[in-house]
Amino acid sequence: MTKQLSHYVNRDLSWIEFNRRVLSEAQDPETPLLERVKFLAIVSSNLDEFMSVRVAGIQDQIKAGYHKIDFTGYTPGGLWRRLLKHTSNMVAEQYKTYKETLKGLEKEGIRIRRLQDLTVAQQSAMEIYFREIVFPVLTPMAVDQSRPFPLVHTKELYLAVLLNKEGELPEEEPLFAIVQVPSILHRLVQIPGKVNSKRIEFILLEELIERHMNTLFNGYTPVAVHPFRLTRNADLTLNEEGAEDLLEEIEKELRKRRWGMPVRLEIAKGMNPYALQMLQEELEIGDNVIEIDGPLDLSFLMKLGGLVPGKDHLRYKKLEPVYPVELDDTEDIFEVLRRRDVLLYHPYESFEAFNDFIIQAAEDPDVLAIKITLYRVSGDSKLVQALTEAAESGKQVTVIVELKARFDEERNIAWARQLEKAGCHVVYGLVGLKIHAKIMLVVRREEGALRRYVHVGTGNYNESTSKLYTDIGLLTSHPVIGIDASALFNEVTGYSDPHEWKAFAVAPTNLMDRLFELIDREKEHALAGRPAKMVAKLNSLSNQDMIDKLYEASQAGVQIELIIRGVCCLRPGVPGRSENIRVISIVDRFLEHSRLVYFHNGGEEEVYLSSADWMTRNLTRRVELLCPVLDGELRHIMMNILTLSLGDNTKARELQPNGTYVLASKGSVPLRSQFEAMDTSKWKSLM
């Protein structure tokens, strides 16, 4: 008897399918070789975060004796076993791909070699490098009765070492020590080549340390050396209600993260059984051990391209973002925005346009106030510099810094302190809520009155990721949006009764209700026999109530097209429930990150941009924003962008009712939406 499918795909199993799509980019022969290794690195980094947050949370539920079945039909124990099986299979496939990719790189003169295969001259050069650069930063850590097992840091590479005393018979239980592979040094060590040689060759740092391990233990003989790596629970447990100072509370929790419960132990294939037993007992890891046939932690491959000069045929052709034509011939962005709204589509359009806007605002003597939310900011930020200069010149600058942005907490704390020193009013979010909305408000004095200028975006104010993520930003001086923007900042920074939003919908108060109203309106059109359609482009869809609402609309006859990059818990194409829903995912050169929603609305089309995915956390536990695009021309441009994605038949994969993905059917003319979008005329032209 066939088990009936749940109405929903499990969130974590859906995530694994997403990471498989990332892996498939590393396997695609059409992907340039040096880009393939980047995708292999991304698979590793993604899996690290998944293990340290999602799998760690499931383990916590199991330890707490929580056995309730979730809405997708899984208990924590059953899901955990399924995830371990799926992730193990994916890792095996990843390393098979790694070995095949190395063969391709070797044909191009790029090799990662074994130390024993080097010439005598090369081995001598590596020995000098070890002695002068590596040896001084190594610290051998013995484990015995007087020296307890040292702290093993999460996601750092270590070597487990078994030793015998020189000149003595081998002990039944050898001595045990560990050595951390220093992350401050490049893991890929370049081997000196012959003069005029076009070959570029590397060895791995851990192999070099292993070869010279005897130099760390004078009088002892290493009998076995094995790499290992531990992943710990990285989720912060904040007592926000009881915290007198949220910044100090987060700093305290970041220190605790070093001691998080072990989640996964990665070991090299063939590890000595005694060494493995020692690690399992001391780390209390149990059977959560993954044996890997290859180098641990392939995220080091992300840096390989930067160590290989030239070889442009092994990379994607460099994208030169264009400056938005609407702002190209002006020295005064405010003057343009008084006449019209402007849409910015990154990375195809330059983030410099936004930087120019904030710099002009900081320098303009008529600008009285600047308010902005910061979730993740790049290391060398013109934005932070402009905010600092604005505050120092006497402007009222308010910065809402989200200290709880996962894995960016320390960087955000540093930015917050720098901004406070410059005289900015820094607000650290709200108790129990993350500030995930992306919005900036500029208040300017003009002809005896005040005018508001607003930027609303789908992505973070981050110059680095704006080159890698697809995101959309709206620049506007529309008065209704300006009033809502002021109200939003007032609610976050002060005390305020709920505002009656005219343009915005804001989570957690009314964003979900507003989306339900818009979907229900489309359903009413369908039930009345009128054309009814909606399109949503998101990173994730996992909220059960939202999925049920979409099922309702599908059953009423609404045509629904969803572009969901990552997790999707909705099952499309199920007769009687979701036969009118199509779901595709696009994984390509850039990370699809924009959140856009379209409603046909009986011919009175509406388009919105948003910071929110349709996940429970975004809709109920974060401050998120949904903003309408009121300019008719810009609505058409956003519809063009959606149409381009929906037409992708090269990188789009379509979700099947059973939760798997297949490549979208190729038409007579191949269409790769990201490559087409590099020609801005493909989406800026009016429909």
Side-chain angles (χ1 to χ4, degrees):
M1 185 174 176
T2 305
K3 183 182 177 182
Q4 186 176 1
L5 285 174
S6 163
H7 292 179
Y8 315 95
V9 178
N10 178 269
R11 169 181 169 174
D12 297 305
L13 294 174
S14 179
W15 181 90
I16 288 175
E17 285 293 320
F18 160 66
N19 215 31
R20 284 190 182 280
R21 297 195 293 279
V22 178
L23 179 57
S24 69
E25 290 301 299
Q27 298 167 331
D28 187 344
E30 297 298 315
T31 305
L33 270 167
L34 288 175
E35 306 295 343
R36 283 187 233 171
V37 297
K38 285 185 181 180
F39 281 111
L40 282 170
I42 292 168
V43 170
S44 288
S45 298
N46 285 349
L47 195 55
D48 279 349
E49 182 171 345
F50 181 69
M51 284 287 176
S52 64
V53 178
R54 295 297 303 174
V55 174
I58 294 167
Q59 285 188 344
D60 286 345
Q61 290 180 340
I62 294 170
K63 288 173 185 174
Y66 186 82
H67 303 298
K68 187 177 178 182
I69 296 174
D70 68 13
F71 78 94
T72 66
Y74 284 91
T75 63
L79 179 59
W80 183 76
R81 288 188 292 273
R82 190 95 180 259
L83 291 175
L84 283 190
K85 178 182 176 181
H86 281 260
T87 53
S88 294
N89 290 342
M90 182 167 57
V91 168
E93 189 178 345
Q94 179 192 15
Y95 276 85
K96 179 183 175 184
T97 305
Y98 168 73
K99 291 173 183 176
E100 292 169 353
T101 307
L102 285 190
K103 292 177 183 176
L105 289 170
E106 283 187 23
K107 292 177 182 178
E108 297 288 344
I110 304 168
R111 299 177 66 187
I112 298 177
R113 301 189 64 187
R114 300 301 305 273
L115 197 60
Q116 65 263 29
D117 298 332
L118 302 187
T119 66
V120 173
Q122 288 173 327
Q123 290 195 29
S124 177
M126 289 296 94
E127 184 176 349
I128 293 170
Y129 178 83
F130 174 82
R131 188 170 62 247
E132 295 183 354
I133 304 298
V134 183
F135 179 81
V137 297
L138 296 178
T139 303
M141 293 176 282
V143 178
D144 55 29
Q145 288 182 328
S146 64
R147 289 170 289 194
F149 201 89
L151 173 65
V152 174
H153 294 284
T154 186
K155 294 184 284 191
E156 293 286 349
L157 186 61
Y158 289 83
L159 298 172
V161 188
L162 299 181
L163 303 126
N164 283 328
K165 181 74 175 171
E166 285 182 3
E168 296 183 4
L169 291 174
E171 296 282 345
E172 190 173 312
E173 290 188 356
L175 300 170
F176 183 85
I178 67 173
V179 176
Q180 183 176 352
V181 178
S183 55
I184 198 170
L185 299 177
H186 275 299
R187 200 162 153 206
L188 285 164
V189 181
Q190 190 161 349
I191 302 165
K194 296 178 182 178
V195 178
N196 298 325
S197 172
K198 293 185 179 179
R199 286 184 178 276
I200 304 172
E201 298 182 320
F202 306 91
I203 62 165
L204 292 171
L205 179 59
E206 62 265 30
E207 190 176 342
L208 183 60
I209 297 171
E210 179 182 347
R211 167 63 69 89
H212 298 285
M213 189 62 73
N214 62 306
T215 63
L216 294 170
F217 299 96
N218 189 31
Y220 293 82
T221 303
V223 294
V225 181
H226 301 286
F228 72 93
R229 185 171 180 264
L230 184 69
T231 305
R232 296 182 180 274
N233 188 329
D235 227 6
L236 298 185
T237 305
L238 294 174
N239 177 20
E240 295 186 56
E241 294 283 355
E244 293 184 14
D245 187 317
L246 184 58
L247 187 144
E248 288 184 4
E249 178 72 15
I250 290 175
E251 287 182 314
K252 182 173 71 176
E253 286 299 318
L254 286 174
R255 289 190 289 273
K256 284 185 185 178
R257 186 180 272 174
R258 304 172 195 168
W259 299 90
M261 287 298 296
V263 177
R264 169 186 63 164
L265 177 65
E266 298 168 274
I267 62 170
K269 186 177 181 180
M271 175 175 268
N272 181 286
Y274 178 75
L276 177 57
Q277 181 185 349
M278 281 286 292
L279 291 174
Q280 286 178 292
E281 289 177 358
E282 295 290 347
L283 298 173
E284 300 179 352
I285 193 68
D287 295 326
N288 303 348
V289 179
I290 297 180
E291 189 177 58
I292 289 175
D293 186 13
L296 306 190
D297 183 19
L298 294 183
S299 64
F300 73 87
L301 292 171
M302 186 62 75
K303 296 181 179 178
L304 177 60
L307 300 173
V308 177
K311 306 282 186 183
D312 288 342
H313 64 291
L314 302 182
R315 314 172 200 269
Y316 287 128
K317 185 179 178 181
K318 188 176 180 182
L319 171 66
E320 295 291 348
V322 300
Y323 200 85
V325 65
E326 300 91 333
L327 304 175
D328 207 10
D329 295 324
T330 183
E331 296 291 323
D332 186 354
I333 296 176
F334 294 126
E335 189 273 330
V336 174
L337 297 182
R338 285 193 290 274
R339 291 186 283 107
R340 58 166 302 167
D341 293 352
V342 174
L343 204 68
L344 308 175
Y345 189 16
H346 313 299
Y348 314 108
E349 291 186 306
S350 174
F351 194 76
E352 285 302 308
F354 173 79
N355 281 337
D356 289 344
F357 174 60
I358 183 66
I359 289 169
Q360 182 179 334
E363 294 176 349
D364 189 330
D366 289 322
V367 168
L368 306 181
I370 300 173
K371 303 182 182 186
I372 191 169
T373 59
L374 296 184
Y375 193 75
R376 301 189 198 276
V377 187
S378 61
D380 182 20
S381 176
K382 293 180 182 177
L383 166 64
V384 171
Q385 183 179 344
L387 293 173
T388 299
E389 291 174 359
E392 289 172 345
S393 69
K395 292 177 171 57
Q396 292 290 309
V397 179
T398 303
V399 185
I400 300 170
V401 178
E402 182 46 75
L403 297 180
K404 302 185 289 293
R406 184 177 287 141
F407 303 119
D408 270 344
E409 299 96 342
E410 291 179 86
R411 177 181 289 178
N412 284 3
I413 287 171
W415 286 130
R417 287 188 163 139
Q418 178 180 328
L419 290 165
E420 279 186 322
K421 285 180 182 177
C424 298
H425 300 295
V426 178
V427 178
Y428 301 131
L430 296 169
V431 171
L433 297 173
K434 282 187 179 180
I435 311 294
H436 195 247
K438 292 83 167 70
I439 183 169
M440 184 176 78
L441 169 66
V442 174
V443 180
R444 188 170 187 268
R445 179 176 49 219
E446 296 178 4
E447 299 176 355
L450 296 182
R451 185 187 289 267
R452 298 177 178 92
Y453 296 86
V454 179
H455 177 276
V456 180
T458 65
N460 301 309
Y461 293 115
N462 189 309
E463 296 169 50
S464 299
T465 57
S466 72
K467 299 179 178 70
L468 305 172
Y469 295 7
T470 68
D471 271 307
I472 287 180
L474 173 69
L475 285 167
T476 180
S477 65
H478 196 289
V480 175
I481 290 177
I483 290 169
D484 275 5
S486 286
L488 177 60
F489 280 104
N490 289 344
E491 285 197 5
V492 172
T493 62
Y495 295 110
S496 179
D497 287 335
H499 177 69
E500 291 188 15
W501 306 106
K502 300 294 191 297
F504 291 171
V506 178
T509 52
N510 78 327
L511 194 152
M512 186 185 286
D513 290 342
R514 178 61 177 150
L515 287 169
F516 280 9
E517 289 172 7
L518 295 169
I519 295 169
D520 283 339
R521 185 183 65 186
E522 214 61 35
K523 186 173 76 171
E524 290 168 8
H525 285 302
L527 292 172
R530 295 185 290 271
K533 180 179 180 180
M534 65 169 287
V535 180
K537 184 177 184 300
L538 307 163
N539 298 328
S540 301
L541 168 60
S542 62
N543 179 268
Q544 183 182 3
D545 293 336
M546 181 62 74
I547 293 169
D548 289 342
K549 179 61 68 174
L550 293 171
Y551 284 159
E552 281 179 30
S554 170
Q555 290 164 344
V558 179
Q559 298 299 310
I560 301 172
E561 296 196 273
L562 302 174
I563 309 159
I564 314 290
R565 183 198 76 215
V567 169
C568 181
C569 296
L570 178 149
R571 291 190 191 275
V574 177
R577 184 182 307 117
S578 57
E579 67 265 42
N580 290 317
I581 303 178
R582 175 179 179 243
V583 180
I584 65 168
S585 169
I586 297 172
V587 177
D588 202 348
R589 173 179 178 175
F590 304 116
L591 184 79
E592 292 289 337
H593 194 254
S594 53
R595 292 96 165 183
L596 314 174
V597 194
Y598 160 86
F599 296 95
H600 184 261
N601 188 28
E604 298 291 325
E605 296 167 307
E606 293 181 356
V607 184
Y608 299 81
L609 58 85
S610 180
S611 62
D613 291 311
W614 292 354
M615 305 174 74
T616 300
R617 71 185 188 195
N618 299 89
L619 298 171
T620 64
R621 300 195 300 274
R622 290 185 173 188
V623 175
E624 302 274 14
L625 192 56
L626 179 78
C627 176
V629 177
L630 302 175
D631 182 284
E633 288 189 10
L634 299 191
R635 278 201 302 271
H636 282 296
I637 287 173
M638 287 182 62
M639 288 156 61
N640 283 356
I641 291 169
L642 290 171
T643 300
L644 203 56
S645 295
L646 291 169
D648 193 308
N649 58 20
T650 303
K651 289 298 180 180
R653 291 169 177 83
E654 190 161 345
L655 177 58
Q656 305 302 296
N658 65 0
T660 62
Y661 286 77
V662 299
L663 280 167
S665 301
K666 279 191 181 285
S668 56
V669 179
L671 193 155
R672 189 171 177 177
S673 57
Q674 289 192 358
F675 281 33
E676 291 292 311
M678 292 179 193
D679 179 357
T680 56
S681 67
K682 297 288 178 68
W683 49 269
K684 275 219 166 174
S685 58
L686 297 183
M687 297 176 70

